[in-house]
Amino acid sequence: MKDVANTVAANAGKFRDPYYTADGAPRAHVTLSQAETLWFNTGTLCNIECANCYILSSPTNDALVYITEAEVSDYLDQIEARAWPVREIAFTGGEPFMNPQMIEMARAALARGYDVLILTNAMRPMMRKFMRAGIEALNADYPGKMTFRISVDHWSEALHDEERGEGAFALTLTGMDWLRDRGVPMAVAGRTVWGETETEGRAGYAALYAQRGYDINAENSGATVLFPEMDEETEVPEITTACWDILGKSPGDVMCASSRMVVKRKGAAKPAVLACTLLPYAPEFELGETLAEAERDVALNHPHCAKFCVLGGASCSA
């Protein structure tokens, strides 16, 4: 069991000033250089509660309430007004299919020519009769334009269920089988928390896909996304302006250079635009209510910025 006191102490003084790190070096900032993906959080309610949910979703957490089709359409109008070069509209949660307007929101984006990415556990909310009918209609009307990224934390039943609860793996595969049989494009999101090498993990997923007949590339990092674990209590370095050259990376490689996320907080009159899909509860990453306000630079002032995005090289977008 990790020593929480030690890990908290290790980050003492870090990630406080948006302009300078704890040792006085200029903090790295990221410009929205190529707005490719606009994310919508459909709400934090979920049908299950995972052991290590990135966003604390659960059957009772409604800190982010259901966003509506009308609100999504307003932001689609803003994309056009701001001439953002967005190619993809993505939906995450919570579990997106808990939101009763999920089909309508996806259709609004598809009708304007965007690719649509939906993150889902493919369990019972997606498998309700009216949701299945809506998915079939969308796939028929916009073939190949909508991808479901399924949360399969590990390729083995035992470790997936360790994270999501007994029986979760079987229910998810039932949903994936249904999508497979209807030709709905799928991708997978897994985790690297169990200490496997990337080669071992991808081989495990490849075997699962072959067994089930899933048309998913286990070697493609966009089709099988393996996310590093995020722990705010683990010691991580701050990212300075000098780090780009040291690490051989560019600010344009980081997720906030190409995406923003829209959320609606409980009790709020309007949705808000955030810099990052992973930091919905950090007020310093809320940029305003409009896309115009959200065009400002983002300070890499959180442990997730370092561990997940810069050092981990992960991105939620396709």
Side-chain angles (χ1 to χ4, degrees), residues 110-293:
L110 289 164
R112 299 202 193 199
Y114 297 109
D115 292 336
V116 164
L117 177 67
I118 303 175
L119 277 57
T120 177
N121 57 36
M123 295 172 74
R124 285 170 177 149
M126 188 195 81
M127 293 297 286
R128 288 176 289 175
K129 184 176 181 180
F130 77 95
M131 288 296 185
R132 286 187 283 121
I135 293 166
E136 289 182 308
L138 290 175
N139 195 51
D141 293 344
Y142 303 97
K145 294 288 287 181
M146 179 175 62
T147 299
F148 284 46
R149 183 188 289 167
I150 317 299
S151 297
V152 184
D153 288 319
H154 194 263
W155 48 267
S156 72
E157 181 174 19
L159 294 183
H160 178 90
D161 284 1
E162 178 182 286
E163 175 68 27
R164 295 185 173 252
E166 185 177 355
F169 190 75
L171 289 172
T172 290
L173 293 187
T174 296
M176 292 180 73
D177 289 350
W178 183 85
L179 292 168
R180 174 203 64 202
D181 293 345
R182 282 146 188 84
V184 178
M186 289 188 289
V188 156
R191 298 180 188 239
T192 59
V193 65
W194 290 282
E196 289 178 325
T197 67
E198 182 170 342
T199 299
E200 291 169 338
R202 293 193 182 280
Y205 282 104
L208 174 66
Y209 302 159
Q211 179 187 21
R212 309 292 296 198
Y214 298 153
D215 185 17
I216 306 172
N217 187 339
E219 298 302 323
N220 185 310
S221 61
T224 302
V225 189
L226 300 182
F227 288 121
E229 203 63 14
M230 297 183 298
D231 186 345
E232 294 181 32
E233 297 169 341
T234 299
E235 180 183 6
V236 292
E238 295 183 281
I239 304 301
T240 70
T241 54
C243 287
W244 303 121
D245 289 338
I246 293 169
L247 297 171
K249 295 192 175 185
S250 163
D253 298 334
V254 183
M255 189 164 54
C256 51
S258 60
S259 68
R260 293 290 186 264
M261 182 170 78
V262 178
V263 306
K264 190 170 185 181
R265 302 192 188 284
K266 188 175 184 179
K270 294 182 178 180
V273 188
L274 309 184
C276 180
T277 60
L278 303 170
L279 297 169
Y281 309 121
E284 66 270 27
F285 288 87
E286 185 168 319
L287 303 176
E289 294 179 348
T290 68
L291 297 189
E293 293 171 295

Side-chain angles (χ1 to χ4, degrees), residues 28-32 256 260 275 285 287 294 296-301 305:
H29 286 66
V30 173
T31 298
L32 183 67
C256 51
R260 293 290 186 264
F285 288 87
L287 303 176
R296 57 190 171 95
D297 291 359
V298 176
L300 300 185
N301 195 24
C305 302

